Amino acid sequence: MEYHLELNWPEFIQRYWQKRPVVLKRGFPNFVDPLSPDELAGLAMESEVDSRLVSHLDGAWQVSHGPFKSYDHLGESNWSILVQAVNHWHEPTAALMRPFRMLPDWRVDDLMISFSVPGGGVGPHIDQYDVFIIQGIGRRRWRVGEKAPMKQHCPHPDLLQVAPFSAIIDEELESGDILYIPPGFPHEGYSLENSMNYSVGFRAPSGRELISGFADYVLQQELGGQRYSDPDIPAREHPADILPQELEKARAMMLALIDDPQQFRAWFGEFISQTRHELDIAPPEPPYQPDEIYDALRQGDTLNRLGGLRVLRIDETIYINGEKLDSPHRLALFALAEHLQLDAQKLGDALEDPSFLAMLTELINSGYWYFAG
Ligand code: SIN
Ligand code: CO
C-alpha cells in the first residue's frame, strides 16, 4: 500500500515543525488502516514486542505490560492498548512512515500504534519528542495545551501525567486526520469510539546521551590515552588550590577528543544508526551463497530492507545499525541508504564486483535485507 500525504512541507516546517501543534485535516485522504485491531492485539501477545495496556476507572489508573495472554477481562470502555515500533514487526505498517521521509531518517524513531475503546487514553501528558498522530478507524477527541513548564506526577509508577490544562487545540479526529505535536506541549486523547491511532515518532538525542555514547566509543576505540601533563607547573600560594588555567587545560583535553572531526563523524554515524527498539532479525537458514544472490537479482528479484533498520550516510560512508560500511562503489552504497527496496538496476555495476557481492551477502545473511515475496 502507498500512502499519499497532503502536506505543503516547506510551509509546515516554517510554521509548525518544532514550533506549534497543528491538526492536518484529511492529511491522508481516504485513509485505510494498515492493520486491524485484532492484528495489533495479536502483536501485543508476542514476547519480543513492547506493549502496554493502560486503563482507568474513577480516576485510578492501571498499567500492565505485554506480552498479554488474553483480553477477556477487559470491559467495553476506558482502556487502550499501545504497541511500540510496530513497523519493525508488521511490514505493511511501515508504509505509513514513508511519506515522512521528507524529514531526515536519522531524526525518525518508530511507529507506535494504539487501539482504544470509548474513554480510552493514557491521560494528559507531555512527550520529549515530535510526533505525528494519525487517526485510523473511529473518532477520538484530542486536546493540546500551550507549552509551559508543568509539574509531572505518576498516578501509577509506569505512567507520567500532567495536571489538567486548557486547550489551544480541541478537536475530534476522524480517519485520515493528523495531529502534529512538537515536544513539550501537553496533550491527551480520549476515544469516542473504538479507534486506532498511529504515532510516527521522532528522536532527538540529549546532551547526556551524546556524552555517554561518545564516552563508550572513546573506551571501545581506546582513544584519549594521553595524560594531563604540566612541565611548567604553576606555583600557587595554597597547595589545595586548582588554578583556572589547570581547569582549562583539563577541559581542553576533553574537548580535543570531541574536536577530532573524523572520529566524531565515525562515532556519530555508529551511534545514531542504532535503533532504540528491537529489530525482527531472522537470518536466512541456510545462509545464501553470493552467486545465489547474484542470480536472483539478475533475474529481477527485489530486496526489502528490514523494518526499522537504520541506514544512514555521512559523506561517502554509510552506517547500518551501528556498523560502518565502506566500499568504492559509491552509487551502490547510496542506493543501500536511499531505497527501502533494491534491485539489480539500483545496485548497478557493483554487483559484478565480488567484494561488493560478498558484503551484500553478509548483509542479507545478517537478516538486514531479505528477498521480497
Ligand atoms: C495514543 O494514545 O495513541 C498516543 C499517546 C500519546 O499521546 O503519546
Ligand atoms: Co503523547
Side-chain angles (χ1 to χ4, degrees), residues 240-258:
D241 288 354
I242 299 169
L243 299 183
Q245 62 266 42
E246 294 178 314
L247 264 183
E248 188 46 43
K249 205 162 157 180
R251 204 172 80 95
M253 270 177 82
M254 292 179 71
L255 288 177
L257 279 174
I258 297 177

Side-chain angles (χ1 to χ4, degrees), residues 255-298:
L255 288 177
L257 279 174
I258 297 177
D259 218 8
D260 178 335
Q262 226 167 321
Q263 291 291 1
F264 188 82
R265 194 180 330 165
W267 162 69
F268 193 73
E270 287 180 18
F271 172 80
I272 207 72
S273 66
Q274 290 171 45
T275 161
R276 302 187 334 126
H277 312 275
E278 200 176 326
L279 292 165
D280 185 15
I281 294 180
E285 206 41 69
Y288 284 96
Q289 296 301 315
D291 59 321
E292 296 174 283
I293 289 170
Y294 180 88
D295 290 345
L297 287 169
R298 283 283 171 239

